[in-house]
Amino acid sequence: MTVTLIEGFAAILTYLFGGALVLFIYEAYLKTRQTSLIFLALGFFILIFGGNLGTLSAATQEFLAITPALDESGIRTAAIAIQLVGILLLLYSVLGPFEPKRPKA
């Protein structure tokens, strides 16, 4: 699998904008201390990483001459499994048993 310049550029932008999103969610957590926001940030982080795993693997193989431990099918399977974990964390952040923060009297 070869990586085109557009694919590489899009992957870099996805990591940058995705990282910014995760940082903004973490800053919201620091202000509110809502546990669900940590799971939301972690879920997005894992989802973004898994979504670009194929491009990242192909780029390291092509540009750094590093042979991956898995073949293309294994990398696609790993990417889907990683994305599934990210989606499950996003669902947990929304549906999890978190205590609502009560205002101080």
Side-chain angles (χ1 to χ4, degrees):
M1 177 175 157
T2 60
V3 178
T4 65
L5 183 62
I6 294 173
E7 284 176 311
F9 187 67
I12 290 170
L13 287 177
T14 301
Y15 282 129
L16 288 175
F17 291 137
L21 176 65
V22 169
L23 287 175
F24 289 139
I25 294 170
Y26 181 71
E27 285 180 6
Y29 163 75
L30 291 177
K31 290 179 184 176
T32 64
R33 296 294 180 189
Q34 291 181 350
T35 310
S36 63
L37 291 174
I38 288 294
F39 287 100
L40 185 70
L42 187 59
F44 273 121
F45 175 78
I46 292 173
L47 189 66
I48 291 164
F49 175 75
N52 279 325
L53 186 62
T55 305
L56 181 65
S57 173
T60 55
Q61 184 177 5
E62 188 172 330
F63 297 118
L64 301 177
I66 296 173
T67 306
L70 300 172
D71 61 350
E72 283 187 43
S73 176
I75 292 169
R76 283 194 310 269
T77 303
I80 291 171
I82 291 169
Q83 289 174 358
L84 181 60
V85 169
I87 290 171
L88 290 173
L89 283 168
L90 292 175
L91 283 171
Y92 185 72
S93 76
V94 174
L95 303 173
F98 303 110
E99 292 288 323
K101 296 291 180 185
R102 302 196 196 306
K104 295 181 181 180

